[in-house]
Amino acid sequence: MASLSIRIDIGPDNRVGPGKVQLLEMIAEHGSISAAGRALDMSYRRAWMLIEAMNSGFGQPVVEAQIGGKAGGGARLSGFGADLVAHYRAIERAADRAAAPFLDRIVAPDRNAGDEPPTTSP
């Protein structure tokens, strides 16, 4: 089954794709940059660099530090970071729905040989 992979180019040095979004989701799930990195088999340094690139590119934090207690500190998504993940996933779902008939034609061209190609609106 074919699927899309969405990368959004926001500026020359600011882009968001499945890897960064998954990192943000893992931070939300684990409450820690290092734990998120481990879950993705990514070094803490790489995870931190990706977060810093997003913070810088958007001009606001996508991840915020949490002050530690007995268990130490952690990290959580900022409101903007949570919105970024939600909007990215919504774009992904919409693109998947829109692309489905085209992907079907690419994956199984013989099965759809007599069908008219899907049309799009400008």
Side-chain angles (χ1 to χ4, degrees):
M1 181 169 138
S3 64
L4 294 177
S5 178
I6 304 292
R7 184 182 85 182
I8 303 168
D9 295 322
I10 295 141
D13 295 322
N14 190 17
R15 56 191 55 83
V16 177
K20 287 179 180 173
V21 170
Q22 188 177 25
L23 174 60
L24 294 175
E25 289 171 331
M26 290 294 102
I27 291 168
E29 182 177 325
H30 295 282
S32 157
I33 295 169
S34 58
R38 282 191 300 274
L40 297 172
D41 198 27
M42 178 186 301
S43 72
Y44 176 83
R45 179 171 160 37
R46 176 74 177 143
W48 181 250
M49 289 174 63
L50 291 171
I51 292 163
E52 282 297 302
M54 286 186 280
N55 288 346
S56 175
F58 286 110
Q60 60 183 307
V62 294
V63 174
E64 300 171 333
Q66 288 183 258
I67 304 303
K70 282 197 309 187
R76 67 173 178 221
L77 299 187
S78 66
F80 176 74
D83 285 348
L84 175 62
V85 170
H87 293 311
Y88 178 88
R89 292 301 185 198
I91 289 166
E92 220 175 28
R93 287 188 301 275
D96 282 342
R97 283 191 303 271
F102 301 99
L103 292 174
D104 286 348
R105 295 284 302 230
I106 291 169
V107 172
D110 293 339
R111 183 182 68 192
N112 300 309
D115 296 344
E116 289 294 314
T119 58
T120 60
S121 304

